Amino acid sequence: MGSLMMLPHCHGGKVVSIYPNSRKGYRYYTSFIMQTVEFVFPSNLNRRNLVKKCNFTTRASVQPIIEEIVEDKHRNIPISGNAIRQRFLDFYAARGHKVLPSASLVPDDPTVLLTIAGMLQFKPIFLGKAPREVPCAATSQRCIRTNDIENVGQTSRHHTFFEMLGNFSFGDYFKKEAIRWAWELSTVEFGLPAERLWVSVYEDDDEALTIWLEEVGVPADHIKRLGEEDNFWTSGATGPCGPCSELYYDFHPERGLIDVDLGDDSRFIEFYNLVFMQYNKKDDGSLEPLKQMNIDTGLGLERMARILQKVSNNYETDLIFPIIKEVSKLANISYAGVNEPTKTKLKIIGDHMRAIVFLISDGVFPSNIGRGYVVRRLIRRAVRTGRLLGIRGDGMGDSEGAFLPIIAEKVIELSTQIDPDVENRAGRILEELRREELRFVATLERGEKLLEQMLDDAVLNAKKNKTAPCLSGKDAFILYDTYGFPVEITKEDADKRGVSIDMNGFEIEMENQRHQSQAAHNTVKLSVEDAAELGKGIPDTEFLGYDTLSSKAVVECLLVDGNPVIRATEGSEVEVMLNKTPFYAESGGQIGDHGLLYVTETENQQTTVIEVKDVQKSLGNIFIHKGIVKGGSIEVGREVQAAVDPNLRHRAKVHHTATHLLQAALKQVIGKETSQAGSLVSFERLRFDFNFHRPLQEHELMEIEGIINKWIGDGTFLETKVMPLVDAKQAGAIAMFGEKYGDEVRVVEVPGVSMELCGGTHVSCTSDIRGFKIISEQGIASGIRRIEAVAGEAFIEYVSVRDNYMKQLCSTLKVKAEEVTSRVDGLLEELRAARNEVSAARSKAAIYKASALASNAFSTGTTREVRVLVECMDDVDADSLKSAADYLVGTLQDPAAIILGSCPGDGKVSLIAAFTPGVVELGLSAGKFIGPIAKLCGGGGGGRPNFAQAGGRKPENLSLALEKAKEDIVAILSEKAG
């Protein structure tokens, strides 16, 4: 090392001194060495590799002391977003940080919907729940935030998708190094002028202030003390916390130093946030120093790109602007030549498409719940915004096409250095986007017209009542539930018209829907006034059920009608908590065991029996055995014999293992990207929900069945082991999104077939399943499919019942089983022919009746005579009514207007309006005309300008409706043709 110190420490003719430090020895300034190497060896050598070869490395705990730094002339060249990302990671790698990959946008943390910050993957370490694997790390983390979605495109810095560059210390270094490196990265590595940088510190953090002032040399007039709301980070009401220090870039230093507000977006942008985790916040709110102090930082890539590329906002950087240019091309406009509202629309699509593509790549598909709703909301907002820009179809001439996939191709092209897996999943991403966009467009136009009408009505009613215009919560919910309009989109359009929305009413409608959708689910809780107090006196239940189906146990607590009791007698519905149990409590989709609890008294007294019909977990890990006292009584503190029903347990085990095989077979047949979205393992059947965009074909279901039954026939023995969660994931075990796992997990493996994290009960060998049969496959939500199947005894019962049905069918049709299909096809063909004959006869009768009514047509209009016919055709069905209208259009001389009505039965009304070309030329539309008429009959409808159909449910109003139709058509034609 001494020889290194003999090098001339100069660059550009100026001397840079490196001082030894008595405590840690010499401190080397790596960035300076790189510049020196470039100065001494002016060539195309890779500076970073040369430094590595010379072993010029530093540890995280090593920090240079710099007397003077000379600006690198190369810094004047704008650098790309990809280069910024790489230089950040290389900078911290050279300082001992382990560079780790970005975590998925779907976090392991069940308390967070999506990955919102770079520190999220390290949260267990910061909270002391997991040991550190490295002393310090650096990442470029993909993040999603939608809490400020209304600001996207409106401001220069808000995004739904962004990258957060971060360096993290897990007890290795602290404030001094974090601050110095942040300054060095900003001013030397990225060459930001020091005079344009401002710093904020927590108002009580004198230590950080001193470091900025005395060791880094930031002028006091460029440092601001801020309060707890801005500069103090907490993990929750209690736990690790600490002050923050932030770096800001000043776009307008000419505005001076007086009354400076770092929150002024027109002047400043915060680009780097340093969090110093140094305290533990206690229950009483007091702070105590942490034994291990941590560093958590975040630097916004898009923000740094804006600064270095010298553009007016984040959207005009090379990270996003190529996407905006693609949107502009489809909209046939120029970004530079449009007004600000149009630019905002372009920015919205550019931003949202990045979020959409990366979310779908990470396995989040559009749906109406959770993460899926975030994707669906962003897609629909992008589609709606595109239509406001004038993009129709694919924007390239195909009116039936989709434009989002075209933009997504540009996002995928830009993604290779962010996440290379995106390109590998391109086909799936583009197909999902195309399908979702076309599905939304199918209802969008109808919804847009309905929203416009609702807003018109709201404004009109407000004028009549002299009140502020307001859209009802019910109307907003109809737009959301039926037409797929996120309430945010409805609100945007309503705001433009000056109409508010009754959000309380909307939330009530949403809550009603949630209650309806949850009605079929069991909600289990202890119905006591203070369940937490009750739980304090009860230990967690020891589960013995993996190894035995029967054991002795002690009654810890009894509940009757949700209230604690000492004793329960015959006939009581009771909830029993034991110190240990062989009963499996419902979890992981598997229902709770059934069985019996015995209490044997003396030889002269009867045996108490409690029939257990359900077992649930509550208050942490306490098992609640729900049942009925069939005889005798039971008391707290008594010993019982707990016995699980072995037959039902076996049926549950069979279905649970079959569920694992089903997931493995699905991944093999339809793609590895599919993932579990829910399951039910019961005694009678299994249910498996999974992410997929279309119904499975019959041949795919047969292939899945065949694969599973082969695995069953292979007789593979299962392997179950408990291991650290990290090891399980590295081994390839599948985890369920949203499930919370501890440090130690149970892994169930069918060797060569599947490996999953699972706490359920399973067979010992696949041959124990005996057989597997899919009984249904259906969609339960957008992008979510459901398979129901049977296995084991349930499989045999299912096949036996179906076989009996087939025998009865063969007997009825008098054919063999293999002839049933052809015989049924023949019967259906005969039925279709008979129906066609009946329909033809009805049409002929209707036409005959219409010919008789044609003479009732009358003329109206003065400058141009129009023939009008408005008639009731009694009980003619809708199809025959259409035939009659077609006949009359061809019979009456053009121009002619025909309105027909009928009551075909079952309380229904049918209406038809048919206008000849001459009437349409006058400006009339059959579709618009028939709607209000149908409303009089309690219905609605519409159609083309020349032909429209409608229906209703109030046949008693048909005569009134037809009279109204005649009155209206005459009035309109008198005006148009008069």
Side-chain angles (χ1 to χ4, degrees):
M1 289 189 179
S3 61
L4 173 63
M5 299 303 293
M6 298 297 293
L7 285 172
H9 299 300
C10 59
H11 186 53
K14 295 186 179 181
V15 177
V16 180
S17 300
I18 302 180
Y19 295 101
N21 180 280
S22 59
R23 184 168 62 88
K24 292 189 176 180
Y26 288 102
R27 298 184 172 197
Y28 298 100
Y29 181 35
T30 307
S31 182
F32 160 74
I33 293 173
M34 289 182 180
Q35 294 176 27
T36 301
V37 169
E38 183 177 63
F39 174 75
V40 177
F41 306 100
S43 68
N44 294 325
L45 289 174
N46 185 310
R47 293 182 294 154
R48 191 174 298 108
N49 289 341
L50 185 56
V51 170
K52 288 181 179 178
K53 289 177 182 178
C54 296
N55 198 28
F56 297 159
T57 59
T58 65
R59 294 182 296 107
S61 56
V62 177
Q63 167 61 34
I65 297 177
I66 308 160
E67 187 177 75
E68 184 179 0
I69 298 173
V70 181
E71 179 183 0
D72 184 346
K73 294 179 182 179
H74 295 290
R75 302 298 187 235
N76 292 325
I77 303 173
I79 62 176
S80 70
N82 288 333
I84 294 169
R85 182 192 306 108
Q86 192 59 51
R87 284 168 64 168
F88 175 92
L89 296 175
D90 289 346
F91 179 89
Y92 281 103
R95 287 152 183 79
H97 291 65
K98 174 71 173 177
V99 176
L100 298 175
S102 170
S104 168
L105 289 173
V106 180
D108 287 335
D109 187 341
T111 66
V112 183
L113 192 67
L114 294 164
T115 297
I116 59 173
M119 61 80 66
L120 196 61
Q121 65 172 304
F122 306 117
K123 181 179 171 183
I125 301 174
F126 289 141
L127 295 179
K129 295 180 179 180
R132 72 177 192 180
E133 296 181 10
V134 294
C136 48
T139 64
S140 175
Q141 176 62 53
R142 308 189 303 276
C143 300
I144 292 283
R145 290 183 188 172
T146 58
N147 53 315
D148 289 323
I149 191 171
E150 68 278 358
N151 290 323
V152 169
Q154 303 284 350
T155 71
S156 62
R157 59 183 176 84
H158 281 97
H159 302 288
T160 54
F161 175 89
F162 59 95
E163 287 185 79
M164 188 176 286
L165 308 176
N167 55 289
F168 307 91
S169 169
F170 313 115
D172 183 64
Y173 62 85
F174 200 50
K175 288 185 187 178
K176 184 179 293 186
E177 292 85 356
I179 290 173
R180 287 180 166 185
W181 282 334
W183 187 260
E184 181 186 346
L185 176 79
S186 302
T187 59
V188 180
E189 180 64 31
F190 290 135
L192 299 182
E195 65 272 13
R196 280 182 176 258
L197 300 186
W198 288 67
V199 174
S200 70
V201 297
Y202 179 52
E203 57 190 358
D204 294 336
D205 192 358
D206 293 335
E207 180 187 3
L209 179 65
T210 300
I211 296 171
W212 283 116
L213 283 171
E214 298 181 4
E215 301 198 31
V216 176
V218 177
D221 56 13
H222 274 58
I223 302 177
K224 287 279 187 180
R225 288 182 182 262
L226 297 178
E228 184 173 344
E229 182 177 349
D230 295 302
N231 277 58
F232 197 89
W233 177 87
T234 60
S235 61
T238 60
C241 58
C244 308
S245 191
E246 296 164 333
L247 277 78
Y248 294 79
Y249 185 81
D250 186 357
F251 290 105
H252 297 286
E254 71 277 4
R255 296 182 184 177
L257 305 177
I258 301 174
D259 296 328
V260 170
D261 177 12
L262 294 180
D264 180 2
D265 283 352
S266 69
R267 176 174 178 178
F268 296 101
I269 187 169
E270 175 206 336
F271 66 89
Y272 207 168
N273 182 21
L274 316 177
V275 178
F276 312 124
M277 278 186 234
Q278 63 186 95
Y279 300 115
N280 176 51
K281 191 173 186 180
K282 301 168 71 174
D283 290 334
D284 60 3
S286 61
L287 302 178
E288 63 179 1
L290 288 171
K291 293 180 180 178
Q292 175 180 297
M293 297 183 181
N294 304 309
I295 292 292
D296 159 28
T297 79
L299 184 150
L301 175 60
E302 290 78 8
R303 299 184 182 195
M304 181 59 81
R306 172 193 174 187
I307 296 169
L308 294 178
Q309 294 175 16
K310 299 180 180 179
V311 292
S312 61
N313 58 74
N314 295 5
Y315 298 93
E316 295 177 12
T317 68
D318 68 335
L319 295 167
I320 305 176
F321 195 64
I323 307 168
I324 291 176
K325 287 178 66 177
E326 193 68 33
V327 182
S328 301
K329 180 179 175 183
L330 292 175
N332 198 27
I333 57 178
S334 167
Y335 177 84
V338 297
N339 57 26
E340 285 305 316
T342 303
K343 283 184 178 180
T344 296
K345 293 181 180 67
L346 293 169
K347 292 173 185 176
I348 288 171
I349 299 177
D351 168 88
H352 286 9
M353 286 307 301
R354 294 210 303 165
I356 292 163
V357 166
F358 283 97
L359 279 167
I360 295 176
S361 177
D362 277 0
V364 182
F365 297 96
S367 71
N368 286 332
I369 57 173
R371 303 180 183 101
Y373 177 66
V374 174
V375 181
R376 173 157 289 170
R377 176 186 175 191
L378 292 172
I379 289 175
R380 290 181 170 179
R381 203 164 188 259
V383 172
R384 179 113 168 85
T385 305
R387 290 173 69 86
L388 293 175
L389 286 170
I391 303 174
R392 290 295 185 271
D394 67 354
M396 303 175 70
D398 181 3
S399 61
E400 302 298 322
F403 74 91
L404 292 188
I406 298 172
I407 304 169
E409 287 179 353
K410 177 58 68 174
V411 180
I412 293 168
E413 178 187 322
L414 297 172
S415 71
T416 52
Q417 295 190 46
I418 303 173
D419 179 9
D421 286 336
V422 174
E423 192 171 27
N424 298 332
R425 299 163 182 156
R428 184 178 181 188
I429 294 168
L430 298 177
E431 178 58 25
E432 190 67 36
L433 275 172
R434 185 193 67 82
R435 184 168 42 253
E436 183 68 15
E437 179 180 344
L438 295 181
R439 182 185 294 125
F440 181 45
V441 168
T443 58
L444 185 58
E445 291 184 356
R446 295 196 301 274
E448 286 173 339
K449 291 177 182 177
L450 180 60
L451 173 57
E452 190 65 28
Q453 183 62 51
M454 288 176 172
L455 294 176
D456 285 344
D457 292 344
V459 172
L460 185 61
N461 291 334
K463 287 182 179 178
K464 287 180 180 178
N465 301 324
K466 296 182 180 180
T467 58
C470 180
L471 187 68
S472 72
K474 187 173 184 179
D475 283 346
F477 180 75
I478 289 172
L479 288 166
Y480 162 80
D481 192 46
T482 305
Y483 296 96
F485 271 58
V487 72
E488 297 82 7
I489 289 180
T490 301
K491 188 175 186 304
E492 287 177 8
D493 280 10
D495 287 344
K496 293 173 186 175
R497 296 284 303 275
V499 179
S500 63
I501 298 178
D502 176 13
M503 291 305 299
N504 287 335
F506 177 80
E507 289 300 332
I508 289 171
E509 295 293 333
M510 285 290 291
E511 191 62 28
N512 289 338
Q513 186 195 55
R514 292 188 195 106
H515 285 316
Q516 290 172 5
S517 64
Q518 293 171 359
H521 296 275
N522 291 325
T523 55
V524 181
K525 61 181 179 179
L526 290 174
S527 53
V528 293
E529 293 183 359
D530 195 344
E533 283 300 314
L534 176 63
K536 288 181 180 178
I538 304 173
D540 285 349
T541 309
E542 180 185 358
F543 178 59
L544 310 172
Y546 292 137
D547 303 314
T548 182
L549 296 182
S550 179
S551 70
K552 291 186 180 300
V554 175
V555 177
E556 296 282 352
C557 180
L558 290 172
L559 297 177
V560 174
D561 295 329
N563 299 307
V565 297
I566 300 299
R567 186 169 180 266
T569 57
E570 183 176 345
S572 300
E573 292 188 4
V574 65
E575 296 174 57
V576 184
M577 279 145 274
L578 307 173
N579 65 330
K580 54 187 175 181
T581 183
F583 283 80
Y584 183 84
E586 181 176 326
S587 60
Q590 181 176 334
I591 67 172
D593 281 329
H594 291 191
L596 299 170
L597 299 179
Y598 299 98
V599 183
T600 304
E601 308 290 348
T602 63
E603 292 183 1
N604 297 326
Q605 291 181 314
Q606 65 179 11
T607 298
T608 300
V609 177
I610 297 96
E611 185 179 5
V612 177
K613 287 295 186 182
D614 189 21
V615 185
Q616 298 287 338
K617 283 184 185 178
S618 187
L619 300 172
N621 200 37
I622 298 172
F623 287 36
I624 304 169
H625 305 72
K626 300 177 135 187
I628 299 175
V629 182
K630 290 293 188 179
S633 63
I634 184 171
E635 297 178 358
V636 173
R638 294 300 299 270
E639 185 178 73
V640 299
Q641 183 72 32
V644 175
D645 185 320
N647 178 51
L648 294 181
R649 165 65 79 84
H650 183 74
R651 292 172 74 110
K653 287 163 57 176
V654 162
H655 280 136
H656 205 148
T657 305
T659 301
H660 285 212
L661 299 183
L662 174 57
Q663 175 159 222
L666 280 166
K667 288 181 177 292
Q668 185 170 317
V669 173
I670 64 175
K672 293 182 179 178
E673 297 87 358
T674 189
S675 60
Q676 182 176 348
S679 68
L680 171 69
V681 176
S682 72
F683 309 130
E684 305 303 326
R685 62 190 171 94
L686 68 87
R687 187 180 74 207
F688 187 80
D689 300 339
F690 58 100
N691 295 302
F692 203 55
H693 58 270
R694 62 167 174 82
L696 270 62
Q697 304 297 316
E698 188 63 34
H699 71 88
E700 292 173 321
L701 295 173
M702 291 179 65
E703 184 179 357
I704 290 167
E705 279 185 1
I707 291 170
I708 294 172
N709 281 311
K710 179 186 179 300
W711 288 335
I712 291 171
D714 288 342
T716 304
F717 284 91
L718 276 70
E719 297 178 2
T720 303
K721 61 189 77 173
V722 176
M723 63 175 68
L725 176 60
V726 174
D727 293 346
K729 288 186 175 180
Q730 288 178 348
I734 296 174
M736 174 72 174
F737 280 151
E739 282 289 325
K740 189 175 182 180
Y741 299 100
D743 295 335
E744 296 283 319
V745 293
R746 185 169 180 263
V747 178
V748 176
E749 180 180 8
V750 182
V753 176
S754 78
M755 181 188 296
E756 296 191 31
L757 306 184
C758 182
T761 62
H762 290 270
V763 297
S764 59
C765 180
T766 58
S767 61
D768 295 342
I769 300 174
R770 301 172 71 181
F772 176 90
K773 179 67 179 176
I774 294 173
I775 58 178
S776 71
E777 190 275 340
Q778 61 182 328
I780 59 169
S782 179
I784 305 292
R785 309 295 302 176
R786 170 173 292 172
I787 284 179
E788 294 193 4
V790 288
E793 288 297 320
F795 162 77
I796 294 171
E797 291 165 1
Y798 177 85
V799 171
S800 297
V801 170
R802 265 55 187 176
D803 184 57
N804 286 333
Y805 289 152
M806 178 59 76
K807 287 177 181 177
Q808 293 174 20
L809 188 58
C810 290
S811 176
T812 301
L813 297 177
K814 295 181 173 55
V815 294
K816 297 178 181 178
E818 58 270 22
E819 298 171 349
V820 166
T821 301
S822 60
R823 179 64 179 132
V824 170
D825 287 343
L827 291 172
L828 288 174
E829 186 58 39
E830 292 174 13
L831 180 60
R832 278 192 291 269
R835 284 178 173 171
N836 289 338
E837 290 177 6
V838 171
S839 179
R842 286 177 176 171
S843 292
K844 287 180 181 179
I847 291 171
Y848 178 78
K849 192 169 187 177
S851 65
L853 294 173
S855 60
N856 295 339
F858 60 90
S859 299
T860 188
T862 54
T863 59
R864 188 174 186 186
E865 191 175 90
V866 180
R867 302 283 289 166
V868 176
L869 180 65
V870 182
E871 291 290 342
C872 175
M873 296 193 67
D874 302 326
D875 60 352
V876 171
D877 64 88
D879 289 338
S880 300
L881 197 66
K882 181 179 181 300
S883 298
D886 289 338
Y887 167 80
L888 290 168
V889 166
T891 300
L892 298 177
Q893 186 178 354
D894 186 29
I898 299 118
I899 296 98
L900 302 177
S902 68
C903 299
D906 296 328
K908 294 181 181 178
V909 173
S910 291
L911 289 163
I912 281 182
F915 295 168
T916 62
V919 174
V920 175
E921 287 172 5
L922 291 173
L924 278 74
S925 170
K928 292 181 179 178
F929 179 82
I930 201 66
I933 304 303
K935 282 185 178 180
L936 298 175
C937 295
R944 304 185 304 275
N946 66 317
F947 190 90
Q949 290 179 281
R953 284 284 180 182
K954 295 181 179 179
E956 65 275 12
N957 291 350
L958 178 58
S959 297
L960 177 65
L962 290 175
E963 287 178 13
K964 174 68 172 170
K966 181 184 289 187
E967 178 183 330
D968 288 352
I969 195 67
V970 169
I972 295 170
L973 289 173
S974 296
E975 178 185 350
K976 298 284 186 180

